[in-house]
Amino acid sequence: MTTWIKAKRIMSRYLSEMRWYVILAFTAFYALSCWMLLYAAGEQDLLASHDFTYWLIVTGSTVGYGDMSPSTEAGKWIVALYVIPMGLSIFALILGRVASFVGKQWQKGAKGLNSLNLDNHVVIIGWNGKRTMQLLKLLLIEKENSPLDPDILLCVKADIENPMPSKIDFVRVTSFNNDDEMDRACIKEAATIIIDNPHDDMTMTTALYCSKRNKTAHKVAYFDDETLVPLLKVHCPEIECTPSVAVEMLAKSAFDPGSSLLHHDLLDVYDGQAQFSDTIPESAPALSVEAFFLALKKQYNATFIGFASHENMQSISVNPAFDETLYPKDKIFYIADKRIRDIDWKGLNANSKNL
């Protein structure tokens, strides 16, 4: 085998791999060889460092402004037969490498293989097809009405791509309890974690893991079998468990026709009245339920339905008596046509005194 054939095979292998150091080496060789050929041809006007760099880029990429060009016959032949053809090859190689890199990064993002850098975001763990898609649509609507505007991230084990690539972030993992993989979803920095897996046992283990990794996040877990809820509550009392209520709604509608429509309307964020919540700030004064109920209705046309004391957020007092008191850091629940932004708590207190 001749030396030329060996060299050709080595060059073909390096070019096929198209590594960056190969491209940089060929670019340096191209620039040096062009300078030497122009020097040999006597093109003194093109050899100054800044002029040569500018001219080579413009000529090699075939932009060709024409403000600088070879003046000798030999220089023109060098440009026509070497500078432009080689420049085009290297230019195309660089563009192709950049396009390939961008394409791979986009594919990694779509497949959920990238590590993210998020904070105070909403994480949905699990994939249930149409149910998860509906959940994502509802969360995006809630996000538009939220003053915090949190990022939404879907974390799955299923072999799928990002179902909403332009609207949500996406991470695919092999395990929901592996630190390295869940760190790609920034699980420790999440403000809200929603766990909804196809199997309740997976939801249970994932909830236990999330409770260990992130103590402060608001965590919600969905169970088909509500008998598992007390078991999780023993170990993670801070997790809000949401069992299926389909059977309960059927029974309720049988004796109170229209109940299912009412509850659907209160949960629907697309149209009509809906249920919302807010936390009373520490700077707000204490209010009686009667004063707050009347002032909220008069000032915002909203209906107060219950509250959770800051001392026990897991217990909600629905339809409380008028003589009960609401304190700062309590969470209140109300019905309105849209979320009330920046409730004027001092104004409510002032209005309540005039009622």
Side-chain angles (χ1 to χ4, degrees):
M1 184 182 296
T2 64
T3 303
W4 165 246
I5 295 177
K6 290 181 179 180
K8 184 179 178 181
R9 288 186 176 181
I10 293 173
M11 291 178 63
S12 299
R13 177 166 61 86
Y14 278 102
L15 284 173
S16 64
E17 292 177 355
M18 289 198 304
R19 298 184 183 276
W20 279 112
Y21 67 84
V22 177
I23 297 175
L24 290 175
F26 269 94
T27 303
F29 172 79
Y30 168 67
L32 180 61
S33 61
C34 287
W35 191 93
M36 295 178 64
L37 288 171
L38 292 174
Y39 177 81
E43 295 289 348
Q44 298 298 323
D45 293 338
L46 301 177
L47 298 182
S49 59
H50 58 282
D51 288 335
F52 175 75
T53 303
Y54 163 75
W55 174 83
L56 187 65
I57 293 174
V58 170
T59 304
S61 61
T62 69
V63 175
Y65 291 121
D67 53 344
M68 300 178 68
S69 59
S71 56
T72 66
E73 183 176 347
K76 293 177 181 179
W77 280 108
I78 291 170
V79 171
L81 299 179
Y82 182 78
V83 175
I84 292 178
M86 285 291 292
L88 272 177
S89 301
I90 294 176
F91 189 66
L93 193 64
I94 294 174
L95 285 181
R97 195 72 174 87
V98 170
S100 175
F101 175 79
V102 173
K104 287 181 179 178
Q105 292 301 311
W106 183 89
Q107 288 181 351
K108 286 179 65 178
K111 293 180 179 179
L113 303 178
N114 286 333
S115 296
L116 303 176
N117 183 21
L118 301 176
D119 188 34
N120 290 324
H121 54 297
V122 178
V123 180
I124 302 96
I125 301 178
W127 175 252
N128 282 285
K130 292 182 178 180
R131 189 170 76 191
T132 305
M133 286 298 297
Q134 179 66 10
L135 173 61
L136 290 172
K137 292 177 182 177
L138 295 175
L139 288 175
L140 288 172
I141 294 175
E142 292 283 6
K143 174 184 175 179
E144 292 179 358
N145 298 322
S146 171
L148 301 177
D149 192 27
D151 293 311
I152 297 176
L153 183 148
L154 176 63
C155 180
V156 304
K157 289 174 60 177
D159 187 14
I160 62 170
E161 293 189 358
N162 190 341
M164 297 181 174
S166 62
K167 298 180 180 180
I168 66 169
D169 294 293
F170 180 68
V171 168
R172 183 155 60 92
V173 299
T174 57
S175 172
F176 288 141
N177 55 16
N178 181 281
D179 289 350
D180 292 335
E181 293 201 311
M182 295 304 287
D183 282 344
R184 293 199 292 115
C186 307
I187 199 70
K188 292 191 297 184
E189 292 76 22
T192 303
I193 302 174
I194 302 173
I195 306 165
D196 183 15
N197 285 297
H199 306 290
D200 284 348
D201 56 348
M202 187 183 298
T203 298
M204 177 70 75
T205 56
T206 304
L208 292 170
Y209 173 79
C210 292
S211 179
K212 178 183 177 182
R213 290 298 308 279
N214 190 330
K215 295 291 185 181
T216 59
H218 174 54
K219 295 173 281 289
V220 183
Y222 176 87
F223 288 97
D224 288 316
D225 183 3
E226 61 183 80
T227 60
L228 296 175
V229 173
L231 179 60
L232 180 60
K233 284 291 188 179
V234 171
H235 302 281
C236 308
E238 80 282 2
I239 295 181
E240 181 179 345
C241 299
T242 307
S244 175
V245 295
V247 175
E248 290 81 355
M249 289 308 306
L250 286 173
K252 190 66 177 173
S253 295
F255 287 90
D256 296 295
S259 294
S260 61
L261 298 176
L262 170 63
H263 286 274
H264 181 271
D265 184 70
L266 293 178
L267 295 174
D268 188 8
V269 296
Y270 291 102
D271 191 22
Q273 300 289 314
Q275 177 263 308
F276 303 98
S277 68
D278 203 347
T279 301
I280 303 177
E282 294 185 21
S283 59
L287 282 170
S288 69
V289 168
E290 179 181 12
F292 181 72
F293 180 93
L294 297 175
L296 188 70
K297 186 64 177 179
K298 181 178 181 180
Q299 189 167 336
Y300 296 103
N301 192 30
T303 302
F304 173 67
I305 56 176
F307 74 99
S309 171
H310 65 277
E311 296 177 348
N312 184 10
M313 284 293 182
Q314 300 302 314
S315 177
I316 298 178
S317 175
V318 180
N319 191 28
F322 269 0
D323 58 358
E324 292 192 52
T325 304
L326 302 174
Y327 295 98
K329 297 194 292 185
D330 287 352
K331 182 176 286 294
I332 58 100
F333 299 88
Y334 62 91
I335 298 171
D337 58 347
K338 61 181 179 180
R339 186 183 300 276
I340 305 173
R341 298 196 180 198
D342 300 324
I343 295 177
D344 182 10
W345 296 97
K346 293 183 179 179
L348 284 176
N349 185 49
N351 287 337
S352 67
K353 295 178 180 179
N354 298 325
L355 295 175

